[in-house]
Amino acid sequence: MEIKVTLPDGQIKGYSYNTDISAVAESISSSLKKNAVAGKVDGKLVDLHHRLEKDCRVEIVTLDSKEGHDVHRHSTAHLMAQAIKRIYGGTKVKLGIGPVIEDGFYYDVDIEQPLSVEDLAAIEREMNAIVKENLPIVRREVSRDEAVSLFADLEEPLKLELIRDLPEDAVISIYDQGEFSDLCRGPHLASTGQIKVFKLMSVAGAYWRGDSNNKMLQRIYGVAFLKKAQLDEHLHMLEEAKKRDHRKLGKELELFMFSEESPGMPFYLPKGMIIRTELEDFSRGLQRERDYSEVRTPLMMNNRLWEQSGHYDHYKDDMYFTQADEAKFALKPMNCPGHMLIFKNNLHSYRELPIRLAEFGQVHRNESSGSLNGMMRVRTFCQDDAHLFVLPEQIEAEIGQVLDLIDHIYNVFGFEYKVELSTRPADYMGEESLWDQAEAALEKVLQNRGLPYRINAGDGAFYGPKIDFHILDALKRSWQCGTVQLDFQMPQKFDLTYVGEDGQKHRPVVIHRAVYGSIDRFIGILTEHFSGAFPVWLSPVQVKLLPVSVNHADYAFEVKQALAAAGIRVEADVRNEKLGLKIREAQLEKVPYMLVLGDNERNSGTISVRKRDGGDAGPMSIDELARLIAAEIAGRK
């Protein structure tokens, strides 16, 4: 019996019944077989020894592909679990799950002994020994009863729980390598000898299946790469990330602080407030040019509003509630319902649309204490929200203008970005036909603009699909910030209307839009992106005056007054300290310009300029420096 296989290039080749994926790869080229680690049959990932039983589409997965990396890392997770079992005894270690994550993997284990850095080194040594053994990794499919019997004999209660929760018609597969067996869908490498470079990184606590009612397990994190140079680069990036950590720099540069009196809620210090104000003013100016109207809505509103909008059903576990006037109120987790009320406050004609309402709105979300992370995950933050109320025929043009605005702002900070189209989630609200219409409209905008994007299926907001922007920082880490969401649901929920050209009432469409996303988080991202050395326009202190001695303090204050009058943020260090110390401290503060003021400068009415990134810039007049800095500020440099 011959099976017809369609290859990615459209070529159709015939193979014997039960031919495996490895043979298909070899028939294409010997080099492809050498690099193959898995296959895709009709879009489903399978092992190389998977046998073909019917006509299908086949794609060979190579080790250097994204899916190949995942197969390699998943196999390394199993390798680590086997090593742990060998070291601590098979029945003394209870295995949870071991998925692939970015750059690596983890495995949750239940073991009495708290694992230390020294323990991780011992586990690594055993992993390397198993690699040298080059054990075949073999998949076998078993019945539910066989799986239960196997893991009962192995005394693996967590695996038994996973089996119990599998659907009745689930295919249950087990992977064996030497004495080690694990429950897994796969696919995996053909043998442990194919596993390349890895390193175990850390241990953390993790509740089984993410439920705080379950037992706390130990989660062991590792990374895996194909070459040692890639691992070395990754470790270097981690060290660089530590230096750039916004929590560390925020404290050193006196930007923001946190207090146990208000967990997860940032306090802005004067210098941090300067950065935040500059970011808001920058965005505010661009929005003013684009005919946005700025509004402000209350922090707390009656809970019936959140029930009406649908936010209560989707966010109630993360919302803060209180009682007032015998009614239930909630701190807002989103700004959109307030904007719906503002639109509804007046009768609108089609001639007024689009109406663009913008707000720097403070929102509150009751995040779990374990998830809090500096400015990156907080319980209160400011969203640079806007809601555009548009006619159906205005959708494409308005979204296009929003995309231009986002692109402009990200370019100012030097951010590259990637785009995702997130589609209908499982808990979507409203009619399926309206969702189809909204998704098609967003896809049309992206395609017409030639903007590359990928589909992120099922990750849309509960009220509409969205275009998400993922910016890449200086370390090429990805952060989801900007979003454009198309919403046919909220106008229905709030019965929003406008009077059309025919004199009848019609329903507007709402476009939700954010660029920074959370301003607080964006500040954290910028702090790490610039390593605290903010561009001149954002720097809390743009010029630091460094008099050589106390005898030059009067001249320092003259210079300070002149620069401040030119709109430049300037500080004078008039302490009776050595000049070298003042220069070092100003460098640590990452001030863009440092001015050394001594006898020569005072007598000539000039200044000696040192740049943060360029050393000694030599003498110049106060006016020259003021013009130079003003030009940099105007150019957002």
Side-chain angles (χ1 to χ4, degrees):
M1 174 181 174
E2 185 178 79
I3 291 173
K4 293 181 180 179
V5 171
T6 304
L7 300 175
D9 63 359
Q11 182 183 2
I12 298 176
K13 299 187 71 171
Y15 295 92
S16 300
Y17 179 82
N18 257 355
T19 298
D20 65 18
I21 297 297
S22 178
V24 173
E26 185 176 24
S27 73
I28 298 171
S29 75
S30 58
S31 62
L32 183 61
K33 182 189 177 185
K34 181 180 178 181
N35 293 317
V37 293
K40 289 174 78 174
V41 176
D42 292 332
K44 180 184 176 183
L45 274 170
V46 297
D47 294 288
L48 284 176
H49 53 70
H50 175 85
R51 297 188 178 277
L52 303 178
E53 298 177 346
K54 62 179 182 178
D55 295 349
C56 56
R57 297 184 66 87
V58 172
E59 179 182 346
I60 305 302
V61 175
T62 57
L63 190 57
D64 57 357
S65 67
K66 167 66 170 64
E67 288 156 326
H69 280 290
D70 287 348
V71 170
H72 177 247
R73 286 165 179 154
H74 198 177
S75 299
T76 312
H78 277 222
L79 175 71
M80 179 178 70
Q82 183 178 14
I84 293 170
K85 286 268 193 180
R86 281 190 178 184
I87 293 171
Y88 298 101
T91 59
K92 292 182 180 179
V93 178
K94 313 301 180 188
L95 297 179
I97 58 172
V100 171
I101 56 176
E102 186 176 2
D103 295 324
F105 57 91
Y106 69 77
Y107 216 118
D108 289 342
V109 300
D110 183 6
I111 181 173
E112 287 189 12
Q113 175 182 332
L115 297 175
S116 65
V117 174
E118 291 74 20
D119 293 321
L120 296 188
I123 296 169
E124 271 189 33
R125 288 193 293 272
E126 187 61 34
M127 290 170 69
N128 279 305
I130 298 171
V131 169
K132 290 180 181 177
E133 292 175 28
N134 195 22
L135 301 172
I137 302 175
V138 180
R139 172 192 169 97
R140 57 188 167 109
E141 293 182 4
V142 298
S143 69
R144 186 178 297 267
D145 289 343
E146 288 174 314
V148 168
S149 176
L150 172 65
F151 288 104
D153 290 342
L154 293 174
E155 299 181 30
E156 290 282 12
L158 303 179
K159 296 294 182 183
L160 290 172
E161 183 180 328
L162 293 173
I163 295 168
R164 182 197 68 201
D165 293 344
L166 288 172
E168 283 299 319
D169 59 349
V171 174
I172 300 176
S173 55
I174 290 170
Y175 280 81
D176 301 312
Q177 51 195 63
E179 81 291 350
F180 177 73
S181 299
D182 203 355
L183 178 74
C184 188
R185 287 193 304 266
H188 284 280
L189 299 174
S191 72
T192 60
Q194 293 182 332
I195 295 174
K196 305 297 183 181
V197 184
F198 53 83
K199 183 173 180 59
L200 303 188
M201 303 298 295
S202 62
V203 181
Y207 291 112
W208 170 234
R209 307 186 89 168
D211 187 342
S212 60
N213 295 315
N214 289 337
K215 186 173 184 178
M216 177 73 78
L217 307 180
Q218 295 187 71
R219 176 170 292 178
I220 307 168
Y221 288 95
V223 293
F225 297 93
L226 305 183
K227 299 177 181 178
K228 186 176 183 301
Q230 294 171 324
L231 173 62
D232 291 341
E233 181 183 0
H234 177 76
L235 297 177
H236 171 73
M237 294 292 275
L238 290 179
E239 284 301 313
E240 186 63 27
K242 285 182 184 178
K243 297 175 189 175
R244 293 170 177 256
D245 190 321
H246 74 282
R247 294 165 296 187
K248 170 178 173 286
L249 290 173
K251 184 176 182 179
E252 292 173 355
L253 301 177
E254 299 179 336
L255 303 179
F256 44 78
M257 58 169 272
F258 290 86
S259 169
E260 293 181 359
E261 307 306 320
S262 188
M265 300 187 182
F267 291 71
Y268 279 86
L269 304 178
K271 290 180 180 178
M273 197 62 201
I274 289 172
I275 296 174
R276 175 169 170 165
T277 301
E278 288 289 344
L279 289 173
E280 288 187 7
D281 288 347
F282 172 43
S283 177
R284 185 174 280 120
L286 293 173
Q287 289 178 161
R288 194 178 298 119
E289 292 171 4
R290 290 160 175 77
D291 201 26
Y292 283 75
S293 298
E294 188 169 347
V295 298
R296 180 65 55 89
T297 57
L299 289 177
M300 185 173 75
M301 288 179 269
N302 195 296
N303 195 56
R304 64 173 176 261
L305 177 73
W306 307 108
E307 293 173 347
Q308 180 181 1
S309 69
H311 286 92
Y312 181 79
D313 290 337
H314 293 81
Y315 283 96
K316 60 179 178 292
D317 293 338
D318 298 323
M319 293 171 67
Y320 291 99
F321 298 97
T322 189
Q323 292 290 129
D325 299 327
E326 299 182 353
K328 187 177 182 180
F329 282 74
L331 290 176
K332 64 178 179 180
M334 296 276 193
N335 297 302
C336 28
H339 291 193
M340 304 300 134
L341 295 183
I342 289 176
F343 179 88
K344 195 170 182 177
N345 189 51
N346 292 315
L347 184 66
H348 299 285
S349 163
Y350 72 95
R351 293 187 178 89
E352 298 175 65
L353 273 58
I355 292 174
R356 308 178 184 95
L357 300 181
E359 178 177 10
F360 295 100
Q362 198 72 20
V363 298
H364 290 76
R365 297 181 188 173
N366 189 12
E367 304 281 359
S368 67
S369 58
S371 68
L372 300 178
N373 176 21
M375 301 287 271
M376 304 306 194
R377 180 64 71 89
V378 292
R379 285 175 170 161
T380 182
F381 55 94
C382 178
Q383 285 184 319
D384 64 326
D385 247 343
H387 294 89
L388 287 58
F389 300 84
V390 305
L391 305 174
E393 59 267 28
Q394 295 171 334
I395 290 174
E396 185 170 352
E398 283 300 305
I399 291 179
Q401 289 183 31
V402 170
L403 298 184
D404 288 338
L405 174 64
I406 292 174
D407 180 73
H408 173 74
I409 290 178
Y410 288 172
N411 282 335
V412 165
F413 299 105
F415 286 132
E416 298 176 18
Y417 59 84
K418 296 180 180 179
V419 178
E420 286 182 346
L421 175 58
S422 299
T423 57
R424 180 168 59 242
D427 61 344
Y428 71 92
M429 179 177 73
E431 299 173 14
E432 192 171 318
S433 60
L434 288 178
W435 274 88
D436 292 341
Q437 183 181 347
E439 289 176 3
L442 290 183
E443 196 155 17
K444 181 182 177 184
V445 172
L446 292 172
Q447 291 174 351
N448 287 348
R449 295 175 67 86
L451 194 59
Y453 67 96
R454 77 175 189 89
I455 300 290
N456 186 11
D459 200 45
F462 69 88
Y463 49 77
K466 57 181 180 170
I467 300 171
D468 285 330
F469 291 78
H470 297 258
I471 62 175
L472 301 175
D473 68 10
L475 298 183
K476 299 303 178 184
R477 296 173 299 183
S478 178
W479 305 93
Q480 196 275 307
C481 291
T483 187
V484 184
Q485 303 169 0
L486 189 55
D487 180 6
F488 290 86
Q489 311 301 332
M490 289 286 172
Q492 287 190 350
K493 286 280 187 179
F494 286 89
D495 192 26
L496 304 184
T497 61
Y498 64 88
V499 178
E501 192 172 3
D502 59 1
Q504 302 299 310
K505 288 186 176 181
H506 299 271
R507 192 82 70 200
V509 179
V510 172
I511 298 170
H512 303 243
R513 182 237 73 186
V515 183
Y516 299 140
S518 157
I519 291 179
D520 311 75
R521 183 166 172 264
F522 200 78
I523 288 172
I525 294 168
L526 288 179
T527 302
E528 297 192 0
H529 178 64
F530 292 118
S531 194
F534 296 99
V536 174
W537 72 278
L538 271 182
S539 292
V541 178
Q542 294 163 327
V543 175
K544 191 89 167 189
L545 305 179
L546 308 175
V548 173
S549 73
V550 293
N551 297 326
H552 306 99
D554 287 345
Y555 182 54
F557 286 122
E558 287 181 29
V559 176
K560 180 180 179 182
Q561 187 175 15
L563 291 175
I568 295 167
R569 296 188 288 271
V570 56
E571 287 184 354
D573 186 348
V574 294
R575 296 174 299 160
N576 188 18
E577 298 285 356
K578 292 182 178 179
L579 179 62
L581 174 67
K582 293 181 180 181
I583 292 174
R584 282 195 300 275
E585 290 187 354
Q587 288 172 332
L588 290 174
E589 293 172 14
K590 304 182 185 287
V591 178
Y593 287 94
M594 293 156 277
L595 310 185
V596 177
L597 307 174
D599 287 340
N600 290 339
E601 289 77 21
R602 180 176 59 187
N603 295 337
S604 62
T606 61
I607 50 180
S608 182
V609 180
R610 295 176 62 93
K611 298 183 70 173
R612 175 178 60 198
D613 54 359
D616 190 353
M620 63 178 69
S621 71
I622 298 171
D623 286 344
E624 284 178 314
L625 179 64
R627 287 194 297 271
L628 173 64
I629 295 176
E632 289 188 331
I633 292 172
R636 305 288 175 189
K637 300 291 181 62

